[in-house]
Amino acid sequence: MSLIRKPLNRRSILRAGAMGGAALATPTIFTSNAWAAPYLNEPKGGEVTFGFNVPQTGAYADEGADELRAYQLAVKHINGEGDGGMLNTFSSKALGGNGVNGKKVAYVTGDTQTKSDAARASAKRMIEKDGAIMITGGSSSGVAIAVQSLCQEVGVIFMAGLTHSNDTTGKDKRANGFRHFFNAYMSGAALAPILNKEYGSDRKAYHLTADYTWGWTQEESIKNSTEALGWETVEAVRTPLGAGDFSQYITPVLNSGADVLVLNHYGRDMVNSLTAAVQFGLRDKQVNGKDFAIVVPLYSRLMAQGAGENVKGIFGSTNWHWSLQDEGSKAFVKSFGQKYGFPPSQAAHTCYCQALLYADACQRAGTFMPSEVGKALEGFKFDGLGNGPTEYRAEDHQCFKDVLVVKGKENPTSKFDVLEVVEVTPRSQVEYPASMLGGELGPYNNGG
């Protein structure tokens, strides 16, 4: 059958021209998505790629190594390999061990080097070159804030790893970012009653503080909490990240009149500063008629293990500990231990949870589109991941759960048994209004 073409008349030509002109004149906002994907890195094949951005070098590399182990284990469990770990205890049953939204999970990795610029560069590479649908990881709040900002700019979800600064879900919060870890305010609120009970209200404190966003907010939170008890802050000194030798910072403490040293340090910095403090004899001193005390506000088992006998009796807070006896914790410890031969750290636990929570949100949303995944996480209440009943608060994307107060164990039974839980501080004691820490989430960015 032949097609009969009618000749174009002048009216047809003018009408076509007018339509073309109107199209050219239409604002870009209405036409720019005509050739674009609905969202950035929308997976088209049978795989979806997660981006694991961890400190493989630098002061927090020990934490990063355990984070990566946990992420790899989470991918196995999401894809239906291994024993399933905490998928078996997680209150949400959206994931069935067959990937996410019908796609197998693959992953790429980056090295943050515990440096903000390097972390942004590695995250950018994974997003642009590897097609990562999300970024997760890190053990530094400076890194977390930098990468969270990048993920907001380009349009992917960021599931923060270890970031304890108040600013991450405070003044620097972003709609595309979510935090499972607790923060510095919560550490102060949980620790203060224990410190008052153990050391009394008449104390003089000297702070050594990592000189970046986490250290600043940790120092502020501990000062606020202890000064409310009646403690006096004698001095607060900033130290560079990765300083190595802390002798020059410990020496002034001896003549300061302080009877408590607060080490706002993490990772190898905490190991090195605590070791220096013990070598200078601070733990054996008496000042102001009191036994000198050392406090480490943020602990991890990896740090305690690195510091050895120096941690005995020293109080701090932590997000999770492998000795917990809830079903989720036991399942994770068993699964991780069988895979790697030793118990997981809080870094491993946090990052494993973040991978599962992201995958679960995608499955519940039925898409990987950031705005829809975010909505599935906002206000999400769950249990079975090792911290008891937990909620991702919608107003600031901060996770709320119980906080552990721990101290270095006096009589450890193994090299891993270095901390003991002295109190599980209820969520109600560490909560605060979302407006207290400032910032605005703003709108989601889907990229595309």
Side-chain angles (χ1 to χ4, degrees):
M1 180 179 177
S2 61
L3 216 72
I4 299 174
R5 298 182 182 273
K6 292 185 178 180
L8 287 172
N9 58 32
R10 183 173 179 273
R11 183 176 296 174
S12 301
I13 293 169
L14 287 173
R15 186 166 64 244
M19 290 172 66
L24 289 172
T26 302
T28 306
I29 190 171
F30 296 118
T31 60
S32 61
N33 288 330
W35 308 104
Y39 56 93
L40 185 67
N41 290 343
E42 180 184 12
K44 300 295 186 182
E47 283 189 347
V48 60
T49 302
F50 291 4
F52 300 149
N53 205 25
V54 304
Q56 299 182 49
T57 56
Y60 297 168
D62 291 344
E63 309 283 328
D66 229 30
E67 289 180 349
L68 194 52
R69 293 182 190 106
Y71 281 135
Q72 292 167 339
L73 186 63
V75 168
K76 284 182 178 294
H77 292 167
I78 293 167
N79 286 336
E81 303 170 29
D83 63 8
M86 285 199 288
L87 278 184
N88 299 317
T89 60
F90 189 16
S91 58
S92 174
K93 301 303 178 186
L95 296 171
N98 55 352
V100 185
N101 291 334
K103 300 180 187 298
K104 185 176 181 178
V105 175
Y107 66 88
V108 290
T109 66
D111 180 10
T112 70
Q113 303 175 37
T114 319
K115 298 175 182 176
S116 296
D117 289 345
R120 277 182 64 103
S122 59
K124 192 168 186 286
R125 183 261 303 164
M126 288 188 283
I127 294 166
E128 293 181 352
K129 295 186 177 179
D130 301 312
I133 196 71
M134 60 86 87
I135 299 294
T136 181
S139 290
S140 155
S141 290
V143 161
I145 289 167
V147 176
Q148 178 170 263
S149 177
L150 171 74
C151 290
Q152 182 69 44
E153 290 165 15
V154 301
V156 299
I157 290 291
F158 176 60
M159 301 294 282
L162 266 66
T163 168
H164 194 238
S165 170
N166 292 335
D167 295 344
T168 308
T169 46
K171 72 179 184 65
D172 295 309
K173 60 177 168 265
R174 299 289 185 271
N176 282 40
F178 291 83
R179 169 160 62 178
H180 185 69
F181 209 62
F182 69 142
N183 64 22
Y185 174 86
M186 297 179 193
S187 284
L191 272 172
I194 302 299
L195 297 180
N196 186 46
K197 178 182 175 182
E198 293 293 325
Y199 303 129
S201 59
D202 181 22
R203 283 285 184 163
K204 298 182 184 298
Y206 192 112
H207 288 252
L208 290 180
T209 300
D211 193 11
Y212 73 103
T213 178
W214 167 67
W216 306 333
T217 65
Q218 178 67 92
E219 176 191 296
E220 178 187 32
S221 296
I222 296 298
K223 282 169 67 175
N224 289 344
S225 295
T226 55
E227 287 174 2
L229 300 175
W231 288 28
E232 176 189 346
T233 303
V234 173
E235 190 68 75
V237 176
R238 304 284 169 84
T239 63
L241 187 63
D245 182 6
F246 284 86
S247 307
Q248 62 179 308
Y249 300 105
I250 300 296
T251 305
V253 180
L254 298 167
N255 302 311
S256 66
D259 47 48
V260 178
L261 173 62
V262 181
L263 294 176
N264 299 303
H265 291 153
Y266 195 72
R268 292 177 190 168
D269 281 358
M270 173 270 178
V271 172
N272 291 333
S273 62
L274 177 58
T275 300
V278 173
Q279 288 175 344
F280 273 74
L282 285 180
R283 293 194 66 175
D284 302 321
K285 285 178 68 68
Q286 271 214 337
V287 179
N288 305 324
K290 305 176 182 69
D291 291 338
F292 196 94
I294 301 174
V295 178
V296 176
L298 180 60
Y299 251 134
S300 82
R301 191 262 300 166
L302 293 174
M303 289 159 46
Q305 193 174 321
E309 292 196 354
N310 295 332
V311 302
K312 288 185 175 182
I314 291 179
F315 287 93
S317 66
T318 193
N319 192 63
W320 177 84
H321 193 255
W322 66 269
S323 66
L324 293 174
Q325 292 301 299
D326 61 277
E327 293 305 311
S329 294
K330 289 194 293 184
F332 181 52
V333 171
K334 177 185 175 185
S335 185
F336 191 96
Q338 287 177 341
K339 173 73 174 171
Y340 300 112
F342 48 84
S345 64
Q346 70 168 355
H349 173 261
T350 297
C351 290
Y352 178 93
C353 288
Q354 286 292 60
L356 258 58
L357 285 162
Y358 173 78
D360 174 80
C362 292
Q363 189 69 41
R364 288 186 291 111
T367 178
F368 298 98
M369 182 179 287
S371 57
E372 298 306 306
V373 175
K375 290 172 188 174
L377 284 167
E378 285 186 349
F380 181 47
K381 297 178 181 179
F382 58 92
D383 203 344
L385 291 188
N387 287 118
T390 305
E391 178 181 358
Y392 268 43
R393 187 162 66 181
E395 292 84 354
D396 54 4
H397 296 183
Q398 173 62 51
C399 181
F400 282 91
K401 53 191 182 296
D402 297 344
V403 171
L404 305 181
V405 176
V406 295
K407 72 173 180 176
K409 205 164 189 177
E410 296 288 355
N411 298 297
T413 58
S414 74
K415 66 178 182 178
F416 306 114
D417 182 35
V418 286
L419 293 176
E420 62 178 303
V421 177
V422 297
E423 182 157 316
V424 179
T425 305
R427 167 186 167 175
S428 59
Q429 188 177 314
V430 301
E431 280 189 278
Y432 55 89
S435 60
M436 188 182 84
L437 299 179
E440 293 290 338
L441 284 173
Y444 284 103
N445 180 13
N446 289 325

